[in-house]
Amino acid sequence: MKVTKEQIYDALRAVVDPEVGFDVVSLGLIYDVAVDEANNAKVTMTLSTQSCPLHEMMVEWVRAGAESVEGVGEVEIDLVFEPMWNIDMAEDHVKEALGRF
């Protein structure tokens, strides 16, 4: 069974940033998901700030979310800070809730 990028994105919607109460996909913290022929996944993500106090926990929550997809193999997390995250990367409902509209 082929694991899809969309399945992993869906699973990552269950990973909530406890500081703001929104999932990492809606916040725009997930920059990309790639799945190879062996169903190994690479998730490219960022954090809202480089000094995020939940840095290690967020990375592990994202890894666990991706690993929860049936059939997924190894999961690699590529944590990047370029481009730097900003609220404009979030989905519209998040921006509205945080007063950015």
Side-chain angles (χ1 to χ4, degrees):
M1 177 174 137
K2 176 69 176 149
V3 173
T4 67
K5 176 178 186 166
E6 291 76 19
Q7 288 174 295
I8 294 176
Y9 269 103
D10 286 345
L12 295 181
R13 288 191 181 277
V15 179
V16 174
D17 182 330
E19 292 186 311
V20 291
F22 291 100
D23 70 87
V24 295
V25 175
S26 295
L27 281 167
L29 297 175
I30 305 301
Y31 287 168
D32 191 34
V33 173
V35 181
D36 68 17
E37 292 302 316
N39 287 336
N40 298 313
K42 180 178 180 181
V43 179
T44 303
M45 66 173 289
T46 194
L47 300 170
S48 56
T49 66
Q50 288 186 1
S51 59
C52 175
L54 299 174
H55 174 122
E56 291 179 21
M57 292 173 71
M58 291 287 291
V59 169
E60 287 310 309
W61 292 337
V62 168
R63 182 185 319 281
E67 288 173 343
S68 75
V69 175
E70 185 178 344
V72 78
E74 293 183 27
V75 175
E76 176 187 348
I77 304 296
D78 184 15
L79 182 63
V80 299
F81 292 101
E82 289 293 326
M84 182 179 283
W85 181 87
N86 66 71
I87 190 64
D88 293 329
M89 296 173 168
E91 293 179 1
D92 288 345
H93 73 279
V94 173
K95 290 188 266 191
E96 185 175 327
L98 297 177
R100 288 299 302 234
F101 268 157

